[in-house]
Amino acid sequence: MLTLPATAAEPSSAEAKKETPSPWLFVPLFSSSPKLDTAAGGMVAYMHRFDEKSRPSMFGVSAKYTTSQSLIANAFAKTSFGEDHHRILGGMMVGDINNDYENYLGSGQPLSTNDNYSFAFLRYLYRVEGDWFIGAQGAYSNYELQGQDPSSSEILDEMGLVGYKSGGVGAVIMHDSRDSDFKATKGWYLNVNNMAYREALGGEQDFDIWRVDYRGYWQHGDGNVFAVRSRHQFSNDAPAGAYSPVYIRGYTPGEYLAQHMSSIEIEERYKLAERWTATVFAGAACLYGDSTSGEQLNCGDSENLYPAWGAGVQYLLKPEAGIVVNLEYAMGKDDNQGIYLKMGYSF
């Protein structure tokens, strides 16, 4: 991310020209967890602002490879144009993932799985009034779940966990008064959306998913920010593999599933220097409704609660867009923990 300054030999002008920041962005990616081994890779993106009132748009690709010989790659686009009256979010992802679980879905059984999947997603939003948007979205996924050994395959069969194909469409209502997509210091965000997965759209089963995502930001002191996020996911007639996962740092995505999930996180972002911040965070998630085994879960049982806490440090890589590189450590219950190097705050 270097630009070449003007040399002393160049003719002077009445007004010095400002250096133009490079539109290219490279961020190393790293994560390590006792549940998912160690993964490393990178992200390359191109940033562009279509007009002065629109937010920075980003087009990129990323890939990670793990010590369990897993590979995940994706391409994405996040755009704002037409004076921020139009926003498009889209992407494609492919993966070949080998997982070794010590206690899969809380069953007490160890499990080794191989997940092969492909996924495509597209969302369009239109600003209708003030900070409110409405839009539509569509997604298609092809997910294959296999045991890596006979005992693991037997456990998958006993629990009724199988891969699935799904295609769906849905509606979106969103409010976004944040001052930045990537480094918000004030404002609030609310996204309520659904996905109606249907056989007629290329899936193998009809089911529905609803999601609610709220985020709030309050600036205080000399550049410090207090942030809150609350996420909820509800499913109806979904296959077990499409149940709601624990959405909180420190836990392996997909290891704990149930029909519904709710979570809340709080985070304090403390400004250390012009480009450096430190974070401390804590939160909890709850799984409730039907479990993958058919048992009814509720949040009054501590077994269904998943607390997490941690800390991190961030470096502001591209000030003009608010892009930070974020190194975090998160810890949960039952030896759930992880180290993450990624782009952006977690929310």
Side-chain angles (χ1 to χ4, degrees):
M1 263 53 74
L2 297 178
T3 56
L4 296 177
T7 64
E10 292 179 348
S12 59
S13 61
E15 183 178 350
K17 294 182 179 180
K18 293 183 179 180
E19 295 180 6
T20 302
S22 170
W24 290 99
L25 174 70
F26 172 75
V27 177
L29 303 175
F30 175 84
S31 62
S32 183
S33 162
K35 307 278 178 123
L36 282 179
D37 299 315
T38 299
M43 183 196 78
V44 178
Y46 178 83
M47 303 198 67
H48 177 73
R49 190 185 290 270
F50 286 96
D51 55 73
E52 291 185 359
K53 292 185 178 181
S54 293
R55 299 192 172 188
S57 297
M58 180 183 295
F59 308 85
V61 294
S62 70
K64 289 201 298 185
Y65 188 77
T66 77
T67 53
S68 62
Q69 298 182 332
S70 302
L71 177 64
I72 305 169
N74 69 79
F76 62 90
K78 179 182 176 69
T79 70
S80 165
F81 56 96
E83 296 185 343
D84 199 28
H85 279 76
H86 308 274
R87 295 186 185 182
I88 293 177
L89 175 66
M92 297 181 295
M93 179 182 294
V94 294
D96 183 2
I97 304 175
N98 300 306
N99 288 332
D100 291 308
Y101 300 107
E102 296 178 0
N103 181 19
Y104 188 68
L105 298 177
S107 65
Q109 298 283 348
L111 185 68
S112 297
T113 66
N114 175 253
D115 302 351
N116 290 279
Y117 68 88
S118 56
F119 175 81
F121 175 82
L122 181 65
R123 172 186 290 169
Y124 169 76
L125 292 168
Y126 176 75
R127 186 187 295 268
V128 290
E129 182 68 31
D131 295 319
W132 288 96
F133 295 77
I134 60 171
Q137 60 186 12
Y140 178 81
S141 64
N142 186 354
Y143 177 76
E144 299 178 7
L145 176 63
Q146 300 175 345
Q148 293 188 37
D149 53 69
S151 61
S152 295
S153 297
E154 183 178 352
I155 292 172
L156 290 175
D157 291 338
E158 289 179 359
M159 300 181 70
L161 296 176
V162 295
Y164 61 92
K165 291 182 181 180
S166 63
V169 294
V172 186
I173 299 175
M174 188 182 80
H175 177 279
D176 189 3
S177 60
R178 298 171 299 171
D179 56 344
S180 170
D181 285 353
F182 305 108
K183 185 179 175 292
T185 63
K186 60 183 179 180
W188 61 281
Y189 170 94
L190 176 67
N191 189 313
V192 180
N193 67 81
N194 81 297
M195 288 294 293
Y197 292 97
R198 297 294 182 264
E199 293 183 28
L201 297 173
E204 297 179 341
Q205 182 175 338
D206 291 353
F207 63 97
D208 296 277
I209 302 290
W210 296 270
R211 297 183 179 91
V212 179
D213 185 358
Y214 167 80
R215 312 173 198 181
Y217 306 87
W218 296 268
Q219 191 170 22
H220 62 94
D222 185 17
N224 306 325
V225 177
F226 178 73
V228 174
R229 183 179 198 179
S230 181
R231 302 177 75 177
H232 309 268
Q233 180 169 314
F234 314 97
S235 63
N236 180 49
D237 294 329
Y243 269 12
S244 305
V246 171
Y247 280 128
I248 199 167
R249 284 167 281 184
Y251 291 89
T252 301
E255 182 172 6
Y256 305 100
L257 298 170
Q259 186 180 11
H260 312 307
M261 189 283 313
S262 292
S263 69
I264 186 168
E265 289 182 275
I266 59 173
E267 180 171 282
E268 175 66 19
R269 302 172 184 172
Y270 182 77
K271 184 178 179 180
L272 298 174
E274 188 63 29
R275 289 198 172 194
W276 291 92
T277 56
T279 54
V280 291
F281 54 87
C286 172
L287 294 178
Y288 53 102
D290 294 337
S291 70
T292 54
S293 61
E295 179 187 0
Q296 281 292 307
L297 307 178
N298 64 78
C299 295
D301 186 346
S302 61
E303 289 295 319
N304 305 323
L305 297 177
Y306 299 86
W309 56 92
V313 62
Q314 299 78 33
Y315 176 73
L316 184 58
L317 184 63
K318 294 185 77 68
E320 69 279 3
I323 301 295
V324 302
V325 178
N326 186 3
L327 177 63
E328 290 181 323
Y329 172 76
M331 178 179 293
K333 69 176 185 180
D334 299 332
D335 197 35
N336 284 281
Q337 57 183 299
I339 300 173
Y340 315 97
L341 177 64
K342 58 187 179 181
M343 185 196 81
Y345 292 101
S346 290
F347 59 91

